[in-house]
Amino acid sequence: MTRQEFICHVREIQEPLRRFLTALCLSDSQLADDIAQEAFIKAYLAIDTLVDSSKFKPWIYRIAYNIFLNQSRYRHDLVSYDQAIESTDHNTSDDAFRFQDLYLALNKISNKERMAILLFYMEGYSIKEIAQITKSSTHAVKQHLSRGRKHLQNIYGR
Amino acid sequence: MDDNNIRELFNDFNPLISNTDHFMYRLQHQLDIVDIVKARSQTIHKATRRAAIIAGTTGFIAGFLLSMLLPHIATFVSRLNLNAYSLGLSVDVENIYATISWLLIGIISTFIAVNAYSLSLSLLNHSKQQ
């Protein structure tokens, strides 16, 4: 894949990926952009390893997911919704306020559950595809989804 | 709250993102840097490979030419043996002069090869920079 082709693929998927990462980072769009940038650069460096270009999108999501997990291991404040809100600009804060309840609910579930919930409900991926992205079994994904749903039900049911 | 309710929650969930042009500009800039580093590392890799080939060939030629001079080297070693006797040293190198000669050839060839590697590598890098 040439650089031009790579850029074309990036243009197609950068918006949904960044929206997804912003949700994953609890409205911290700056952090989401940093993760997206790193994911695209890592993908560009390893572009020769991608055999099927139709799998570009899930491949990028997998790279971004790994970066997110690595960052959250070293940055414990990553999952703090309040800090995420503070670090965002005014427009983003308005947006975060609109979805405040949802962000608060997402803040209370684990990274893996949040990832599964967002990929399933926001991005519309199937359980099998989520398993491929997160490199886990379908059973594990089902468990994460089930737990995530329960947590959301508990939070919204109150 | 069932599955449909959760789906409804995410229906209009569209997190706001930063400016796309700015994001793409930043990415293109990063990719430019990656391309420069990639090109540079490829150049270094090529130069290293060429220098290794040159060093190997030079070392082989040097070893071959020195082995042609083996009788002369052997004579030189045997002279050393005589000198050692005249100095009163009880070093008997007569039986191992061939081994010493080959050892000398090996050391000299390796020395030439290593120097050829350093020299060719610096010359190749210098020519690429120009």
Side-chain angles (χ1 to χ4, degrees), chain A residues 3 7 10 14-15 18-19 33-34 37 41 44-45 95 99 102-103 117-118 120-121 149 153, chain B residues 1 3 6-7 9-10 12-18 20 23 26-28 30-32 34-35:
Chain A
R3 178 172 165 165
I7 293 289
V10 169
Q14 56 87 20
E15 249 188 61
R18 285 162 66 211
R19 282 190 202 285
D33 274 7
D34 287 345
Q37 290 271 345
I41 289 162
Y44 184 64
L45 283 168
D95 179 67
F99 303 111
L102 187 54
Y103 279 129
I117 289 281
L118 289 173
F120 190 77
Y121 291 106
R149 271 190 212 112
Q153 282 164 356
Chain B
M1 188 187 219
D3 195 58
I6 297 174
R7 272 182 207 284
L9 269 178
F10 286 94
D12 64 335
F13 182 50
N14 214 10
L16 204 71
I17 52 169
S18 62
T20 301
F23 178 84
R26 195 177 144 203
L27 184 67
Q28 294 262 20
Q30 303 246 46
L31 292 182
D32 286 341
V34 168
D35 279 343

Side-chain angles (χ1 to χ4, degrees), chain B residues 38-53:
Chain B
K38 256 184 173 180
R40 179 83 188 119
S41 65
Q42 269 178 355
T43 311
I44 291 169
H45 182 71
K46 269 184 192 173
T48 311
R49 211 171 51 184
R50 277 185 192 169
I53 292 167

